[in-house]
């Protein structure tokens, strides 16, 4: 296959382009688009149009003006240049020829040596191309080109030799020049030499150089304005004629006229002065107009006054029905000058006589559709069973029925499924009733009742199908329920009933009853389908609310089982709390009060982000972990560090297992109050600041280091210690108390601060006041509130000694403790306490460094503490038979109720607690 100029020859002899067919298609489309654009531009200025002819005429005039201006400028410029060159050359030559001393210099021995530098300086200053001095015969003494000195001057020197000034144009050594030759005469009038000065014509500028750009720019601007003006005129003409030419406009008018008279709707156009401009055939038929009605006044046509007034009023009318003879005409009228058109109006008319009979039925159908739409919006706005039932009755009465009631089985209200339906209807509770008045004899909301088998309610509930009773008085089965009550209902005016079972997802939950009184028409078959639709929509919403109630009860039960059942007994704090779960679902807020060794108490408040069972379960795990970490008697920052590591490990396990979502975030505030020193050490992990209320009512928010939320990992936590006066209140809370969708957090903090600023209130009263001030109308998040009023352990309940590291002091320490316990009236505990302190002090002397401090606290229990400067913690072990030691700590563990070790910045404290009788 041969290839010639990029094209290939096939076996058939036909050539084809070797490039891809897609690209050929794209190039063809591009060329076609370019040709279309060019065609549009050509149409814009087509010579057939007036605008195109105007454009060509303007372009021709502009071009002619530009050419004429340039020609005039050229002629004028040439004349100006020659005149300027003559004047400048003559001035330079005369000035040098009459210079003093020139005659003497010419008569000197070497005129060239003297005159050459002078002529060059004069040439430069005078702005000419040359100044040449010659003798009387034209032999050069000077020249800009030194090699030409001594040669004859080029030009006509005859006139100058005879004493006249001569000016001429020549082609000299420097090009085309204008030169002036002036004679040099002595005192007797004899010509002794010549001075010639010249300048090139091209070196002389003229106005042409400055005016030519202006002329060309003005021409281009005029051409641009002509083009733009023509384009604007063309665009306006095309817009006014919608791009149509005379032929197209004529054809369009003929088509519009044909359509105008062919439609089955009357069209009447009235001018601003009330005359008929146009009336099509249908308008003439509907209004009984004459064929020559165009041009006549509307008021003189004998039309109905309402119709005539509407046609000439130019007011807006939409489907206004006007009787005209035996017809009902629907008229639409619009003014024609709203969009800048001529004054007048256009009216359309159609015969609606046949449609009037259907209007009533259409209105009824439209009303039912509107009712169903409103019911779909109104029913199911909450996940409360009773509220959903009330929404059904409110949607039905009084628009569809005079009274509406809803009866549900008792298990449905608890979120459970009712038992299977037998041959009799179960006991139902009326949960909702809405009617036009409140003096009716129907069962009231909240009453329990059981419908008898022959009644329509029992029949519909057992069968699961709706029942229509057009006439209650004629229905014998309905009156078997309660003869006296049913007769009272009939006497009140109830005469028609529809009962519909509420069934969704196979669960039959109750019935909905729709009643009409004597003020309304009896129910018909068409009403039955509407009642079924209303009940079906409500049944789904009630079942959703029932399921939510069941799950919410389960979640709340789980949540409450994970929260503290009560507060521990302790003397350091007077504590009150409130826990309010969210209305939309349980969350992960929690609180706790944990007794610690040394009469101290730990206060904890935390929050797991999110709602539902997962958040509640996570809260339980974190609360258990906090209790376990607290048993180690760690500082607050270390407890949060361990908790942060736990949350990260839980997230990692969830990520590896998949399925369950990870913890979205958790915050915590951990505080330890010491009633002996009256201080509180606190640390927080992304939690709101606590509040400290002083005894005088002053409120402050202690500044704590802002730690990151739990689970981020890698960031340390810091604690702060504050002095808490006795009788102060520590207020710990979760963000659900101060945050709300309709309230900024700063506003919540201000309300909290102002509410707490009341001295002398008990923790219980403080909780009540805070909840009353900050509880939102619709609670979307859990609220945990913990109020603790501080106490100080009296000084007479504390005994302290500092001992040197000498085994001999053990006996004295036992004696001091014995006296103190006797003073407290704890004689029964003297022996046990002596043994415990002897072992603890001996171990400290043997294994620790630095001074030893002994402290005995009398609280709910007797607490013995021995502190030293060592950070090594002892542990319990079994001593072998041959071991001499190792039994002391085992003895302490047996004698004390609890014992343990806690670390301090100075060392450690070993403590032991004994119960008091």
């Amino acid at each position: 296959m041969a290839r010639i100029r990029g094209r290939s020859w096939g076996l058939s002899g036909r050539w084809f382009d070797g490039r891809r067919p897609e690209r050929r298609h794209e190039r063809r489309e591009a060329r076609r688009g370019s040709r279309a654009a060019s065609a549009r531009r050509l149409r814009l200025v087509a010579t057939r149009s007036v605008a195109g002819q105007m454009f060509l005429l303007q372009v021709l005039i502009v071009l002619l003006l530009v050419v004429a201006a340039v020609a005039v400028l050229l002629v004028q410029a040439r004349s100006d240049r020659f005149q300027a060159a003559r004047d400048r050359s003559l001035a330079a030559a005369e000035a040098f020829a009459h210079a003093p001393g020139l005659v003497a210099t010419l008569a000197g021995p070497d005129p060239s040596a003297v005159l050459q530098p002078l002529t060059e300086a004069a040439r430069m200053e005078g702005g000419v191309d040359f100044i040449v001095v010659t003798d009387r015969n034209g032999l050069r003494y000077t020249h800009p080109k030194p090699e030409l000195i001594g040669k004859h001057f080029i030009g006509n020197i005859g006139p100058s030799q005879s004493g006249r000034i001569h000016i001429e144009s020549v082609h000299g050594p420097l090009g085309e020049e204008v030169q002036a030759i002036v004679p040099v005469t002595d005192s007797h009038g004899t010509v002794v030499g010549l001075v010639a000065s010249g300048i090139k014509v091209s070196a002389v500028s003229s106005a042409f150089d400055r005016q030519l750009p202006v002329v060309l720019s003005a021409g281009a601007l005029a051409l641009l304005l002509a083009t733009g003006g023509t384009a604007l005129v063309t665009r306006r003409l095309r817009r006014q004629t919608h791009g149509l030419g005379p032929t197209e406009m004529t054809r369009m008018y003929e088509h519009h006229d044909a359509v105008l008279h062919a439609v089955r709707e009357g069209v009447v156009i009235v001018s601003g002065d009330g005359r008929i401009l146009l009336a099509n055939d249908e308008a003439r038929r509907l209004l009984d107009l004459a064929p020559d009605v165009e041009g006549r006044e509307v008021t003189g046509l004998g039309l109905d006054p309402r119709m005539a007034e509407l046609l000439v009023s130019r007011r807006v009318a939409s489907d206004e029905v006007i009787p005209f003879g035996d017809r009902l005409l629907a008229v639409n009228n619009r003014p024609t000058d709203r969009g800048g058109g001529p004054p007048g109006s256009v009216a359309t008319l159609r015969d609606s006589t046949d449609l009037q009979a259907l209007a009533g039925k259409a209105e009824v159908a439209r009303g039912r559709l509107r009712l169903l739409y409103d019911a779909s919006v109104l029913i199911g706005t909450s996940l409360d069973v009773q509220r959903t039932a009330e929404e059904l009755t409110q949607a039905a009465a009084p628009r569809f029925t005079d009274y509406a009631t809803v009866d549900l089985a008792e298990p449905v209200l608890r979120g459970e499924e009712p038992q299977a339906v037998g041959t009799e209807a179960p006991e139902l509770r009326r949960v909702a009733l809405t009617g036009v008045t409140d003096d009716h004899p129907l069962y009231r909301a909240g009453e329990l009742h059981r419908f008898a088998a022959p009644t329509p309610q029992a029949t519909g509930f057992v069968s699961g199908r709706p029942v229509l009773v057009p006439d209650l008085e004629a229905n014998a089965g309905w009156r078997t329920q309660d003869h006296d009550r049913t007769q009272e209902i009939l006497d009140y005016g109830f005469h028609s009933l529809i009962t519909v079972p509420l069934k969704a997802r196979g669960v039959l939950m109750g019935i909905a009853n729709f009643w009409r009184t004597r003020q309304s028409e009896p129910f018909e078959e068409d009403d039955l389908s509407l009642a079924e639709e209303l009940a079906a929509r409500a049944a789904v919403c009630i079942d959703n609310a029932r399921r939510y109630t069941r799950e919410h009860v389960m979640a709340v039960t789980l949540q409450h089982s994970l929260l503290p059942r009560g507060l521990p007994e302790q003397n350091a704090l007077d504590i009150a709390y409130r826990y309010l779960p969210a209305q939309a679902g349980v969350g992960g807020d929690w609180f706790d009060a944990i007794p610690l060794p040394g009469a101290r108490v730990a206060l904890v408040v935390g929050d797991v982000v999110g709602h539902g069972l997962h958040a509640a379960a996570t809260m339980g795990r974190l609360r258990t972990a906090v209790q376990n970490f607290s048993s180690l008697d760690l500082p607050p920052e270390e407890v949060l560090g361990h908790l942060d590591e736990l949350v990260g490990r839980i997230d990692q396990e969830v990520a590896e297992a998949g399925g369950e979502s990870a913890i979205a975030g958790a915050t915590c505030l951990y505080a330890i109050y010491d009633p002996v020193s009256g201080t509180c050490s606190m640390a927080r992990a992304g939690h709101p600041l606590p509040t400290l209320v002083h005894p005088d009512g002053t409120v402050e928010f202690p500044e704590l280091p802002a730690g990151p939320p739990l689970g981020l990992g890698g960031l340390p936590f810091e604690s702060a210690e504050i002095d808490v006066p006795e009788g102060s209140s520590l207020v710990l809370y979760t963000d659900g108390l101060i945050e709300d969708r309709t309230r900024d957090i700063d506003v919540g903090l201000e309300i909290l601060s102002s509410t707490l600023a009341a001295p002398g209130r008990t923790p219980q009263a403080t909780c009540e006041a805070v909840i009353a001030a900050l509880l939102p109308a619709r609670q979307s998040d859990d609220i945990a509130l913990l109020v603790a009023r501080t106490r100080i352990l009296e000084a007479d309940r504390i005994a302290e000694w500092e001992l040197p590291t000498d085994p001999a002091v053990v006996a004295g320490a036992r004696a001091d403790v014995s006296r103190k316990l006797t003073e407290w009236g704890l004689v029964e505990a003297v022996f046990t306490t002596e043994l415990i302190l002897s072992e603890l002090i001996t171990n400290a002397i043997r294994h620790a460094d630095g001074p030893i401090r002994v402290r005995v606290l009398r609280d709910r229990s007797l607490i013995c503490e021995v502190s030293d400067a060592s950070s090594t913690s002892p542990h319990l072990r079994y001593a072998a038979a041959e071991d001499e030691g190792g039994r002391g700590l085992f003895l302490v563990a047996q004698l004390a109720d609890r014992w343990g070790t806690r670390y301090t910045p100075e060392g450690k404290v070993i403590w032991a607690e004994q119960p008091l009788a």
Side-chain angles (χ1 to χ4, degrees), residues 226-248:
T227 305
T230 304
L232 292 175
V233 171
T234 303
R235 185 176 180 182
R236 180 171 181 83
L237 290 175
R238 291 176 61 83
R239 184 168 61 249
Q240 291 179 346
T241 61
H242 301 283
L244 300 177
T247 304
E248 291 83 358

Side-chain angles (χ1 to χ4, degrees), residues 72-129:
V72 172
L73 285 176
L74 285 175
V75 174
Q76 183 66 33
R78 181 171 180 81
S79 175
D80 291 345
R81 282 185 174 181
F82 274 99
Q83 184 62 39
R86 288 165 57 89
D87 295 342
R88 193 181 301 178
S89 300
L90 179 60
E94 284 188 338
F96 201 87
H98 297 89
L102 178 60
V103 175
T105 303
L106 290 176
D110 192 1
S112 295
V114 177
L115 296 177
Q116 176 66 16
L118 296 178
T119 56
E120 286 302 304
R123 178 180 66 84
M124 298 296 294
E125 293 293 333
V128 294
D129 291 331

